[in-house]
Amino acid sequence: MNKTAFYNLSYGVYVCTSWDEGRPVGCVANSAMQITSSPATIAVSLNHGNYTNKCVSDTGRFAIAVLGENVDPKLIGRFGFASSKDTDKFAETPYAVRGKMPVIDDCVCWFSCKVIDKMETATHTVFLGEVLDADVLRKDAPMTYAYYHKVLKGKTAANAPTYQAEEKSAGKYVCKICKYEYDGETPFEELPDDWTCPICGAPKSQFEKK
């Protein structure tokens, strides 16, 4: 199988949120789509290992925030490479309760949904949600998954639906948390002392030579 064929499917970058006994939780999702227009229905795929998956199942509610090209990349790192089970991702993330759900401020638009059905796969749950409320917050081009990889040089979390194992890079510093590659002008160019990962915010100490 030529797995590069999957790169030609269109994906966006979203933050899926829910509640955990009154505490806001969320994770990055790259597989969300509109299924029907009337009633408006959205599907989102979440890994079984994502704590947000459990919270969506428990509450029967979720929200989808569409990220724009001008979003702070560290927001993606925060929601994509840490678990809400032991991390308060909203501590440094401005948000508001919109459509009765926690929705980050830094998004193009949002959808508040009620789970009406779900399908289990070997690794993921596909939730079908009836859209109860939605709104547009700002003007920005919605980020595509291709933009995230090519422009922001972001990596895919291992539990994402689109994850594919990549070959290890030689002669570069790689973030141990999100796998971002420091692209210096020469191999093993020394990282600045005040360097932080542009994707997940990890310090220099979390980078290793490959």
Side-chain angles (χ1 to χ4, degrees):
M1 180 188 298
N2 184 356
K3 293 186 177 180
T4 61
F6 290 98
Y7 294 144
N8 293 289
L9 292 174
S10 178
Y11 303 97
V13 183
Y14 317 95
V15 170
C16 180
T17 55
S18 191
W19 294 108
D20 177 26
E21 297 182 351
R23 180 177 69 98
V25 295
C27 66
V28 168
N30 55 36
S31 295
M33 61 182 294
Q34 182 177 352
I35 301 299
T36 63
S37 58
S38 182
T41 306
I42 286 178
V44 63
S45 177
L46 299 178
N47 190 281
H48 291 158
N50 279 350
Y51 192 70
T52 303
N53 183 318
K54 174 186 180 300
C55 296
V56 173
S57 294
D58 290 346
T59 63
R61 293 289 301 271
F62 67 88
I64 295 292
V66 178
L67 302 187
E69 291 182 353
N70 293 306
V71 71
D72 183 351
K74 291 183 179 180
L75 184 148
I76 301 175
R78 186 179 307 132
F79 279 84
F81 296 94
S83 173
S84 289
K85 184 177 182 179
D86 48 31
T87 303
D88 183 2
K89 300 180 182 180
F90 288 83
E92 300 179 14
T93 306
Y95 76 99
V97 176
R98 299 178 170 98
K100 299 183 179 181
M101 299 303 294
V103 177
I104 61 173
D105 291 347
D106 194 1
C107 68
V108 176
C109 60
W110 58 270
F111 304 88
S112 177
C113 305
K114 176 182 69 175
V115 176
I116 57 175
D117 204 350
K118 64 180 181 178
M119 178 183 70
E120 298 292 347
T121 72
T123 58
H124 288 69
T125 304
V126 179
F127 294 98
L128 295 183
E130 180 183 347
V131 180
L132 303 180
D133 200 358
D135 201 0
V136 176
L137 296 187
R138 67 184 60 189
K139 291 184 178 180
D140 193 4
M143 184 185 298
T144 64
Y145 207 52
Y147 181 95
Y148 170 69
H149 278 283
K150 295 178 181 179
V151 179
L152 297 184
K153 298 181 181 180
K155 299 298 181 181
T156 306
N159 59 359
T162 57
Y163 174 76
Q164 292 186 30
E166 300 176 358
E167 295 182 0
K168 292 184 178 180
S169 302
K172 291 186 177 181
Y173 283 94
V174 179
C175 178
K176 290 187 288 187
I177 297 175
C178 72
K179 309 307 178 185
Y180 173 85
E181 297 178 358
Y182 174 70
D183 193 13
E185 295 181 0
T186 59
F188 290 152
E189 177 183 341
E190 186 66 23
L191 287 168
D193 289 336
D194 60 351
W195 173 263
T196 59
C197 179
I199 298 299
C200 70
K204 176 182 177 179
S205 60
Q206 292 299 314
F207 277 72
E208 60 184 351
K209 291 180 179 180
K210 294 291 186 180

